[in-house]
Amino acid sequence: MRKPNDLNYLLFIFPALLYVGYFSFYPAARAVYLSFQTPHSHFVLVNYKSLLYYGLSSAVLNTVALTVGALLIQLAIGLGAASILLREFRGKRVFSALVIIPMGVATVVAAVTFSFIFPPPPGGYANALLELLHLPQFNWYANTLASLFTVMVADSWKNTPIVTLILLAGMSGVSPDLYRAAEIDGAGALRRFIHITLPNIRGSIAVALIIRGVSEFNIFALPLVLVGYRIPLLTTLTYEFYSSASIGDYYYSLASATILLAFVAAFILVVLKLGGGRR
Amino acid sequence: MTTIQRVLVYAGAAVVTAYFLYPLYVLLLVGFAPVQYTLDKIYPAQFTMHYTLANLVTALTSYGFIDPLVKSLKTAFLVGGLSVALGFPAGYGLSRVSKKVSSAASTTLFVVNMMPAIVIAIPISTQFVRLGLYGSFVGVGLAQELVALPLATFIIYGTFQAIPRELEYQARIDGAGVGRTMLGVLAPLAKPGIAAAFLLSWMLSWDEFTFAILLSPVHPTIPILIYHNIQRGNLLASTAFALFLTLPVVAITIMLQKYLKGEYLSGGVKG
Amino acid sequence: MTYKLELTKVSKSYGDKKVIDDLSLGIEPGEFFVVLGPSGEGKSTLLKLIAGIEQPDSGRILVNGVDVTSQPPNKRNIAMVFQSYALYPNMTVRGNISFPLRMHGASKDTIRGKVESVSKLLKIDSVLESPVSKISGGQQQRVALARALVRDPSVFLLDEPLSNLDARVRLSARAELKRIQRELNQTFVYVTHDQKEAASLADRVGVLHGGKFECVSRYQDMYEAPLTKWLGDFLGDFPMNFIPINSGSGDGAVEAGFRPEWVKVGSEGFHAEVEAIESSGGLYYLFCVTHEGPRVVIRDSVRREVGEEIRFKPVKQLTFRNGMLVQTPGEKLSEPSSRA
Ligand SMILES: Nc1ncnc2c1ncn2[C@@H]1O[C@H](COP(=O)(O)OP(=O)(O)O)[C@@H](O)[C@H]1O
Ligand SMILES: [Mg+2]
């Protein structure tokens, strides 16, 4: 039963909900609706069929590969950084401030910077480092996989801090007694990590994966600057159609946006399922 | 900690620090060193003693920087203001309704946060053309607010949850109406959270790329100006703009450290 | 005559849980009324209803004979002190005390004068300019009280205002509170779970149980002659003892009830074995099991041994039928409760 009190307080939330309804849910629904139209006809799949011809499947494949790879990198570094932040050591305050700095750096700035570090061959700052160490040079864009990896590294630089903070929140919640008990039982640091830390922060890992996963699907500025339209992703493909002057392309962009939305929606459903279980 | 563990912690911290700081170092190097030591070299030096302000001065004076700066500022303040105007009542309301209602509302906001900007921007662009908002800072701000509002609301919500309800009751009993209770008693207590929500929203807008390029490509904000200059090959100019864009935001980020918590970042998921 | 504060058939539920159930009450001007009850029985809810923070599901609330049921808290002219004090943390002591006056649009001079005099009365005039976080718990409690007293409200509501103080301060604060109430001749509704507090402060006590007043009367009266078994059990340091009586007539369970101090230990009466002993100020409380079965607590001035067989006889006892006190004719008992 809802108390009448709730209704009064709902009035305070209402403007925000109205706002997101009008500017988020309504346009999203419109995008889906319009994607099944052309300037001349209604409820047709022609936009989607044309997309297939224009490389939709490789865009989907690339997007999924990029998402998985970037998540793995961010999780690995995030776990390491969070484990470090959990301990007391000299310089911890400085370190914890450093760790969040990339969060404040605009994506497009990260893109500029990494275009200096990983420019198309020859040279660049990364290759200059390799040369200093007398290691072989590397073409960061030799093939699709290499290009995607370059984007992943740049993206992880910007986004590992969020993952770190979420994992740190989870790790701080694990009782130190558990570690002490395990230590007394003779478990080494690695074993403690595998048998105590990981199972206890499962929830936080899931949250980090979900939040970052959705954002990875939406990754846009970085690939746009680093690889342009050469390696299509769902976002850059959509944008390519959108920024072309043709009205037919506008409808293609809606169809491709709808597919992106479908992926994100699937992800969100997983979130709500998981979230619902925990509440 | 044993010595080995200590060494491992410091080594790990060093590696992570290097990964996080090296790109910023490169940006500063390109920004402040003469171009013959940086971008003109195939293998640029990792370190140089030659510094100049010429790159910055040239970029900021001769690449039409003022209009984008003004636009970015106007948009960011609009987004910050909207976040407080909508997020303050919403955060307050969320902290006062029953658990069921609040988790439904925060789930909605969380879903909004996850909506792809590009999906929303494409249909909105045609509507904005009709409304005369396409290309204006108001249009960009209204769209960017979608990114900022959920986070701002969660921060303010958290702040209000920490304020005992009895203070509000007390104010009402002491004779304050609803408005005076909000503005005279609650707002001062929620000030740090409101400030954080404003700054964070300001910063999200200042950095935002997708809505800005889709809804105002011709009259750009600074991030779009940076992108345009990369495309035209004006790398030094885009570096200068990038530095200009980054420095205030890094300062705000460090200031807001306390609010950049896992709880807020994960929003509604943890409920 | 009109009551200062009157509740008629007030009910309040949270979800399916009925917290206040058809409760009626009238409080006289200048009365110190204490609401006593175990925690979770709805004492705070009752005060919130009176203050207007919560709305009753049904029933009416009258102040000075005026129906205020639909009035918001700021229109009711009622002052309240919360258990947590609810001091405005961003204001000084002066800012806190003057807040209600400012809200009621008093002039600067009036505010200054009233704040000075109430802070002298409560001996906090030396910390007027301090932030409330910088003063002691006892001082914070006084500030909360001062903020209520500085106005001229119809009724004062106090929700366990002394429970956050340490024992010694609590005793002196209790005495002072009583003195102030007498001096100002104000109407107080005071909530507590502490019987000693109720006994020493109240003109009348209402014991809240199951959403209703189990009994409303002077504390001593209800202690001496509790209207129900539940009340006998609840009041006092030790619960009242009950032993079944064979009444012969078949109309329900009949029990004898007596307090530990109402018995004489000697050579007559019930047989019992001592199971445990607690001593307090030269007196001994014996936890016994009677040969008839029920366990009892009795008071004695002689030290006994655990396992010792004793005999005891109540010199005074009450009769309960089906959990209700059987009132003997001619005996003066408290006024009937709303439950009767
Ligand atoms: N806002 C509320 N929502 C739901 N239940 C409540 C609320 N306030 C109090 N209750 C419930 O009502 C009962 C009485 O609470 P309260 O009035 O605080 O008791 P007391 O002050 O006697 O300890 C408790 O069981 C409590 O859980
Ligand atoms: Mg209470």
Side-chain angles (χ1 to χ4, degrees):
Chain A
M1 194 184 82
R2 183 179 291 167
K3 290 174 286 159
N5 250 344
D6 262 16
L7 287 177
N8 294 340
Y9 288 117
L10 262 180
L11 285 181
F12 289 97
I13 312 177
F14 196 66
L17 291 179
L18 194 71
Y19 169 80
V20 298
Y22 185 72
F23 282 99
S24 185
F25 293 110
Y26 172 63
R30 241 175 88 83
V32 175
Y33 172 74
L34 289 176
S35 74
F36 294 99
Q37 324 234 324
T38 70
H40 319 291
S41 51
H42 298 294
F43 298 109
V44 286
L45 288 175
V46 56
N47 297 322
Y48 290 91
K49 283 190 187 133
S50 311
L51 272 188
L52 279 175
Y53 173 76
Y54 285 117
L56 174 67
S57 27
S58 61
V60 169
L61 216 62
N62 291 338
T63 302
V64 171
L66 182 73
T67 302
V68 172
L71 287 184
L72 287 178
I73 296 177
Q74 289 165 32
L75 203 58
I77 302 175
L79 277 173
S83 308
I84 293 170
L85 279 172
L86 208 56
R87 293 162 195 274
E88 290 305 324
F89 59 95
R90 279 176 63 132
K92 174 173 164 165
R93 276 174 61 94
V94 177
F95 183 66
S96 58
L98 285 180
V99 159
I100 62 163
I101 285 179
M103 249 172 116
V105 176
T107 316
V108 70
V109 173
V112 177
T113 311
F114 278 92
S115 75
F116 299 150
I117 298 175
F118 303 124
Y125 275 90
N127 272 328
L129 260 184
L130 291 178
E131 206 212 28
L132 265 183
L133 303 169
H134 301 289
L135 292 169
Q137 298 291 291
F138 200 82
N139 177 358
W140 310 106
Y141 305 96
N143 50 44
T144 305
L145 218 57
S147 308
L148 286 178
F149 182 72
T150 305
V151 176
M152 281 176 213
V153 171
D155 176 64
S156 300
W157 177 75
K158 164 132 175 77
N159 290 311
T160 302
I162 296 184
V163 176
T164 306
L165 291 181
I166 294 175
L167 294 181
L168 181 63
M171 286 186 188
S172 317
V174 182
S175 155
D177 292 346
L178 279 179
Y179 290 103
R180 241 167 265 139
E183 207 165 353
I184 291 166
D185 292 344
L190 187 64
R191 278 175 166 237
R192 290 201 298 270
F193 181 76
I194 292 173
H195 293 291
I196 297 175
T197 310
L198 280 186
N200 275 297
I201 61 166
R202 260 198 330 240
S204 302
I205 292 180
V207 169
L209 285 183
I210 287 155
I211 289 178
R212 283 308 314 152
V214 170
S215 310
E216 293 303 340
F217 272 113
N218 294 328
I219 190 171
F220 178 51
L222 270 173
L224 191 65
V225 170
L226 291 179
V227 299
Y229 304 124
R230 273 175 291 129
I231 318 278
L233 297 170
L234 277 172
T235 48
T236 51
L237 186 70
T238 306
Y239 180 67
E240 194 178 4
F241 286 123
Y242 173 81
S243 52
S244 119
S246 133
I247 180 74
D249 282 357
Y250 178 75
Y251 284 88
Y252 294 163
S253 77
L254 286 167
S256 143
T258 300
I259 290 172
L260 178 62
L261 184 64
F263 272 100
V264 171
F267 233 111
I268 291 177
L269 282 182
V270 173
V271 176
L272 297 186
K273 267 255 147 53
L274 288 179
R278 219 169 311 127
R279 258 183 214 120
Chain B
M1 273 192 290
T2 64
T3 318
I4 296 180
Q5 279 174 334
R6 205 179 299 272
V7 169
L8 278 176
V9 164
Y10 280 110
V15 171
V16 173
T17 305
Y19 179 47
F20 282 171
L21 284 192
Y22 182 68
L24 283 180
Y25 172 71
V26 168
L27 189 68
L28 286 170
L29 209 58
V30 176
F32 288 103
V35 70
Q36 62 265 33
Y37 298 103
T38 58
L39 298 184
D40 276 1
K41 279 236 170 77
I42 289 183
Y43 295 115
Q46 301 291 330
F47 180 75
T48 170
M49 290 299 285
H50 305 271
Y51 291 104
T52 172
L53 283 177
N55 300 338
L56 255 68
V57 173
T58 317
L60 298 184
T61 51
S62 47
Y63 282 88
F65 177 66
I66 296 302
D67 286 348
L69 172 64
V70 171
K71 181 147 191 163
S72 272
L73 283 174
K74 283 201 282 194
T75 314
F77 278 103
L78 174 64
V79 170
L82 276 175
S83 278
V84 173
L86 293 169
F88 177 67
Y92 167 76
L94 279 177
S95 72
R96 296 305 187 240
V97 294
S98 66
K99 184 96 189 132
K100 223 162 78 188
V101 178
S102 78
S103 63
S106 42
T107 302
T108 309
L109 289 176
F110 182 67
V111 169
V112 168
N113 219 10
M114 293 193 159
M115 283 281 193
I118 208 161
V119 176
I120 290 160
I122 293 174
I124 274 190
S125 66
T126 53
Q127 279 175 299
F128 275 8
V129 170
R130 226 173 300 134
L131 294 172
L133 289 175
Y134 187 76
S136 77
F137 83 93
V138 178
V140 177
L142 281 172
Q144 289 178 341
E145 180 61 18
L146 290 173
V147 188
L149 182 61
L151 205 57
T153 306
F154 290 136
I155 288 180
I156 295 174
Y157 175 26
T159 309
F160 274 120
Q161 275 184 317
I163 299 176
R165 239 173 138 149
E166 284 170 359
L167 279 178
E168 191 182 339
Y169 297 156
Q170 184 73 56
R172 300 281 281 128
I173 292 170
D174 284 347
V178 177
R180 281 172 101 171
T181 304
M182 286 274 264
L183 299 179
V185 174
L186 296 178
L189 295 176
K191 218 159 44 185
I194 295 170
F198 178 86
L199 282 176
L200 210 61
S201 304
W202 190 95
M203 181 172 121
L204 283 171
S205 163
W206 182 250
D207 281 355
E208 207 273 345
F209 184 81
T210 312
F211 279 123
I213 197 167
L214 285 152
L215 297 177
S216 184
V218 181
H219 302 285
T221 57
I222 300 176
I224 311 310
L225 181 70
I226 293 172
Y227 174 65
H228 286 168
N229 277 290
I230 299 173
Q231 288 209 301
R232 292 188 202 118
N234 302 330
L235 295 184
L236 279 185
S238 56
T239 305
F241 301 147
L243 281 171
F244 189 90
L245 191 72
T246 304
L247 295 181
V249 172
V250 168
I252 296 178
T253 309
I254 293 176
M255 249 163 65
L256 289 185
Q257 216 182 116
K258 182 173 126 196
Y259 287 92
L260 298 172
K261 282 196 290 201
E263 290 92 299
Y264 298 145
L265 297 170
S266 47
V269 194
K270 286 193 137 176
Chain C
M1 71 155 293
T2 50
Y3 288 114
K4 195 75 184 173
L5 172 70
E6 189 176 359
L7 279 67
T8 53
K9 298 178 176 304
V10 170
S11 294
K12 174 71 185 175
S13 302
Y14 289 119
D16 297 334
K17 189 174 159 117
K18 204 151 194 153
V19 180
I20 301 295
D21 185 7
D22 207 26
L23 177 143
S24 298
L25 173 69
I27 292 176
E28 317 264 338
E31 182 173 4
F32 199 127
F33 187 87
V34 171
V35 178
L36 176 67
S39 80
E41 284 284 2
K43 304 184 297 296
S44 298
T45 305
L46 183 63
L47 289 194
K48 285 181 190 163
L49 288 167
I50 299 172
I53 294 162
E54 294 280 7
Q55 281 295 308
D57 302 332
S58 61
R60 296 192 309 150
I61 296 165
L62 290 81
V63 175
N64 290 325
V66 180
D67 189 339
V68 297
T69 316
S70 54
Q71 302 268 10
N74 48 329
K75 297 274 155 62
R76 291 195 181 188
N77 197 26
I78 281 175
M80 181 158 174
V81 177
F82 286 92
Q83 182 172 1
S84 61
Y85 310 147
L87 299 179
Y88 306 118
N90 54 329
M91 298 181 196
T92 59
V93 170
R94 183 190 293 279
N96 268 275
I97 301 176
S98 63
F99 185 84
L101 296 176
R102 283 183 278 143
M103 290 303 117
H104 286 95
S107 74
K108 280 225 157 62
D109 290 339
T110 319
I111 294 179
R112 174 165 291 276
K114 287 198 170 181
V115 170
E116 301 287 326
S117 72
V118 77
S119 57
K120 284 219 177 63
L121 177 72
L122 287 166
K123 304 187 188 75
I124 43 175
D125 44 333
S126 62
V127 292
L128 269 181
E129 310 308 331
S130 313
V132 287
S133 55
K134 293 271 151 55
I135 58 178
S136 71
Q139 286 172 327
Q140 288 178 345
Q141 195 274 331
R142 286 152 182 273
V143 175
L145 197 59
R147 185 175 54 186
L149 291 171
V150 75
R151 294 161 55 190
D152 189 25
S154 307
V155 180
F156 289 86
L157 309 177
L158 300 99
D159 192 349
E160 314 213 15
L162 306 182
S163 63
N164 286 342
L165 300 177
D166 53 49
R168 193 162 297 199
V169 184
R170 187 154 62 216
L171 280 185
S172 60
R174 191 203 283 173
E176 192 172 356
L177 194 63
K178 182 72 185 171
R179 176 178 65 81
I180 289 171
Q181 187 263 345
R182 279 277 159 271
E183 240 164 60
L184 304 177
N185 194 28
Q186 291 281 12
T187 312
F188 275 36
V189 180
Y190 183 107
V191 155
T192 184
H193 66 269
D194 181 335
Q195 299 190 27
K196 298 233 165 65
E197 234 168 77
S200 70
L201 286 172
D203 295 326
R204 277 192 308 161
V205 176
V207 178
L208 198 59
H209 176 55
K212 294 179 196 283
F213 281 122
E214 187 84 8
C215 173
V216 178
S217 74
R218 282 179 46 214
Y219 181 83
Q220 200 53 35
D221 290 348
M222 64 172 85
Y223 180 82
E224 295 290 336
L227 287 175
T228 62
K229 262 186 82 177
W230 183 88
L231 200 57
D233 215 59
F234 171 69
L235 296 176
D237 290 340
F238 296 96
M240 186 173 257
N241 302 304
F242 294 100
I243 293 180
I245 301 173
N246 289 330
S247 63
S249 63
D251 51 354
V254 180
E255 288 162 289
F258 52 91
R259 298 231 171 250
E261 63 271 23
W262 294 353
V263 298
K264 189 168 171 298
V265 181
S267 54
E268 36 177 352
F270 297 99
H271 290 271
E273 181 188 336
V274 179
E275 286 189 318
I277 301 171
E278 212 173 86
S279 72
S280 147
L283 292 169
Y284 299 94
Y285 288 88
L286 312 178
F287 295 74
C288 309
V289 54
T290 58
H291 288 189
E292 286 76 9
R295 290 195 150 70
V296 295
V297 183
I298 57 182
R299 195 177 79 183
D300 194 7
S301 51
V302 183
R303 187 172 181 97
R304 308 268 170 186
E305 296 300 323
V306 171
E308 194 175 331
E309 288 284 339
I310 58 166
R311 296 192 71 180
F312 69 88
K313 182 172 186 294
V315 291
K316 171 184 171 189
Q317 69 178 48
L318 304 166
T319 310
F320 290 84
R321 174 171 287 132
N322 289 331
M324 306 291 289
L325 181 65
V326 179
Q327 299 187 14
T328 41
E331 192 177 351
K332 189 203 166 288
L333 280 177
S334 45
E335 64 187 70
S337 79
S338 54
R339 162 165 294 217

